[in-house]
Amino acid sequence: MLIVQKYGGTSVGDTNRIKSVARRVVNKHREGHRMVVVVSAMGHTTDDLIKLARDITGNPSAREMDMLLSTGEQVSIALLAMAINNLGADVISLTGPQAGIKTESIHSRARITDIDCTRLHAAIEAGQIVVVAGFQGLCDNKDITTLGRGGSDTTAVALAAALKADLCEIYTDVDGVYTADPRVVPDARQLEAITYDEMLELATLGAAVLHPRAVECAKIYGIPLRVRCSFNDNPGTIVKEESDMEKNLVVTGVTCNKNVAKLGIFGVPDQPGIAYMVFKMLADLNINVDMIVQSSMRDGVNDISFTVTQDDLRKSIETIEEIIKVVGATGYTHNPHVAMVSVVGAGMTSNPGVAAMMFGALADGEINIDMISTSDIKISCIINNNEAEKAMNILHRKFELSKVSRSNCCA
Ligand code: ADP
Ligand code: ASP
Ligand code: MG
């Protein structure tokens, strides 16, 4: 089999852990499998590099940030290759660019556009274990780009797709995908299986266990993903297409995103084309707008509220000040102290009343709902960010997720 494995920051957090990853990889290789191994930067290296940049400047160039952050993964690939070599196996480490990973020319959140597998194929055919730096690639003008925080998962899945691998395993510091972040909800249960769509919603809505684009790529190319723990032999959670809807839970998971800020524009004239102008100006600056609520018209004007990531808040405020002048609105507010809590489940489509249950549970917990958004398989509410953990625990209890047993899942 051709296996792509990815080891996250904690799994390669120190040299002993790197040696233990090397043993796992070499054991699989000795069983006769061809191995491609993607690694993240060690422990908190990426955060530490960001702090170093902030000590130099409050406004570093995006190109130089990518140059800096990509070094974290380069340390891990070299050390892991040395550890594998020490165990007597033939190995080569490759940076993202050396592995042929090409991306868009957008720094800090580039998408992979293509992978030239020539060098990878040659190394694999030569019997080498190939260790690839996650989270990075090369754009058209030959600059190093990074894929966004958590992007090593996406490197692994994209490589699995390009190499037509038989299996893609994401090794991390928890046993698999849980009904909620086990660090926030102590009662959370590990799922045996979850569908691509549910996992995509959970990841997009804040469950850091997988990078959303990794799930998207796995779904598009039909790559079954297994999320496992690098410290034990638990089989983990399989992410795949649904096979038995009847067994699905109404709600599979609860998640929360604190990287959210809310903005509101008041007194926006109620005319065709105004919403287009507002959101086009934000889109032109690459600001990703999430939830949008327009209040019903009174006296020929509307209020429009929406959410952006905390990182985009400053840029959004500057843009809103422009927007107000252009569209003739009366004012604006912004609130960075919000969080989005969400419940996700494919079974929601066929089970009415989930939204009411969610709102009722939050009301019982005296948690005020600021904004609401729904899709086929998720309901999200904007609440105060200091109530996020409480809300997650309340919702986890309400939907009885601590009673999930492994046979409940869509195996
Ligand atoms: P890695 O460095 O291995 O990529 P991450 O920190 O990116 O690890 O992701 C693993 C973390 O994701 C876990 O430690 C856990 O706290 C968090 N997490 C959030 N939501 C979930 C969930 N639903 N299931 C499992 N882990 C989750
Ligand atoms: N090292 C990068 C980060 O911390 C990428 C990753 O770990 O997936 O976000
Ligand atoms: Mg991660």
Side-chain angles (χ1 to χ4, degrees):
M1 283 212 292
L2 173 58
I3 304 177
V4 176
Q5 293 186 334
K6 177 258 169 177
Y7 292 89
T10 316
S11 309
V12 293
D14 58 37
T15 47
N16 280 331
R17 288 190 172 164
I18 290 177
K19 287 180 196 166
S20 135
V21 167
R23 282 193 292 275
R24 241 179 215 276
V25 172
V26 170
N27 286 343
K28 274 277 164 218
H29 192 241
R30 292 208 169 123
E31 283 172 22
H33 302 297
R34 291 168 295 154
M35 302 294 296
V36 174
V37 184
V38 174
V39 276
S40 291
M42 292 171 70
H44 298 292
T45 301
T46 310
D47 291 327
D48 295 342
L49 290 169
I50 292 172
K51 281 192 205 116
L52 281 181
R54 293 221 172 108
D55 281 351
I56 302 275
T57 165
N59 193 17
S61 111
R63 178 189 183 277
E64 302 310 335
M65 268 318 268
D66 278 358
M67 190 67 101
L68 177 69
L69 297 192
S70 63
T71 62
E73 273 66 15
Q74 203 168 325
V75 171
S76 320
I77 53 168
L79 291 175
L80 180 60
M82 289 174 198
I84 290 174
N85 192 254
N86 233 8
L87 298 173
D90 195 3
V91 58
I92 183 170
S93 69
L94 299 174
T95 63
Q98 286 175 319
I101 298 175
K102 299 188 177 147
T103 75
E104 304 167 329
S105 303
I106 296 176
H107 287 291
S108 86
R109 52 180 164 194
R111 298 176 77 97
I112 296 177
T113 49
D114 188 26
I115 303 182
D116 174 355
C117 294
T118 317
R119 189 155 182 195
L120 288 164
H121 281 312
I124 296 167
E125 289 321 311
Q128 288 182 307
I129 296 172
V130 188
V131 181
V132 181
F135 175 59
Q136 54 180 259
L138 200 67
C139 65
D140 275 350
N141 62 5
K142 304 272 184 280
D143 276 334
I144 291 181
T145 50
T146 63
L147 311 183
R149 297 304 304 270
S152 298
D153 298 337
T154 301
T155 305
V157 179
L159 284 174
L163 295 167
K164 300 194 171 49
D166 300 286
L167 187 61
C168 183
E169 295 181 316
I170 307 289
Y171 282 89
T172 184
D173 54 6
V174 288
D175 280 355
V177 179
Y178 283 66
T179 49
D181 186 340
R183 293 180 209 284
V184 178
V185 179
D187 283 344
R189 291 285 181 273
Q190 190 218 315
L191 297 160
E192 183 178 341
I194 185 165
T195 65
Y196 291 125
D197 287 338
E198 288 169 317
M199 192 62 237
L200 185 56
E201 287 286 10
L202 282 176
T204 308
L205 296 168
V209 65
L210 280 175
H211 194 234
R213 288 215 305 277
V215 186
E216 199 177 54
C217 183
K219 179 178 158 72
I220 292 170
Y221 293 97
I223 311 273
L225 280 185
R226 195 168 273 286
V227 180
R228 304 184 63 174
C229 181
S230 58
F231 311 131
N232 62 37
D233 288 322
N234 188 314
T237 303
I238 181 107
V239 187
K240 60 181 177 93
E241 213 63 78
E242 67 226 32
S243 58
D244 187 349
M245 283 301 293
E246 288 306 312
K247 280 194 202 157
N248 272 353
L249 302 161
V250 176
V251 168
T252 310
V254 175
T255 189
C256 158
N257 184 2
K258 287 190 165 181
N259 184 13
V260 186
K262 184 187 157 188
L263 293 134
I265 313 181
F266 306 131
V268 182
D270 187 44
Q271 289 159 16
I274 295 282
Y276 167 71
M277 274 163 75
V278 170
F279 293 106
K280 171 90 170 55
M281 283 176 78
L282 291 159
D284 285 347
L285 288 167
N286 243 322
I287 295 172
N288 221 335
V289 174
D290 189 13
M291 226 184 244
I292 302 175
V293 173
Q294 179 174 293
S295 66
S296 57
M297 195 258 283
R298 57 180 155 71
D299 305 329
V301 292
N302 291 316
D303 296 340
I304 299 179
S305 302
F306 57 93
T307 59
V308 296
T309 64
Q310 295 264 353
D311 323 316
D312 280 342
L313 180 60
R314 208 187 47 166
K315 215 164 35 159
S316 304
I317 292 173
E318 286 164 13
T319 317
I320 284 188
E321 285 170 358
E322 276 308 300
I323 288 173
I324 285 181
K325 287 184 218 144
V326 175
V327 305
T330 52
Y332 73 94
T333 58
H334 61 91
N335 182 3
H337 308 293
V338 294
M340 186 190 292
V341 281
S342 309
V343 297
V344 172
M348 258 181 220
T349 332
S350 46
N351 285 276
V354 179
M357 263 172 92
M358 178 176 187
F359 305 153
L362 293 175
D364 291 345
E366 296 189 353
I367 295 174
N368 190 49
I369 302 171
D370 208 345
M371 290 166 91
I372 298 166
S373 125
T374 64
S375 79
D376 273 0
I377 64 163
K378 72 116 204 257
I379 305 162
S380 300
C381 295
I382 295 288
I383 59 170
N384 252 335
N385 74 357
N386 58 15
E387 292 177 320
E389 284 81 11
K390 178 178 163 193
M392 277 182 72
N393 278 283
I394 286 176
L395 294 171
H396 198 268
R397 247 193 324 274
K398 183 72 182 181
F399 290 100
E400 301 190 327
L401 291 175
S402 60
K403 295 190 184 149
V404 170
S405 70
R406 292 176 68 83
S407 60
N408 269 129
C409 316
C410 64

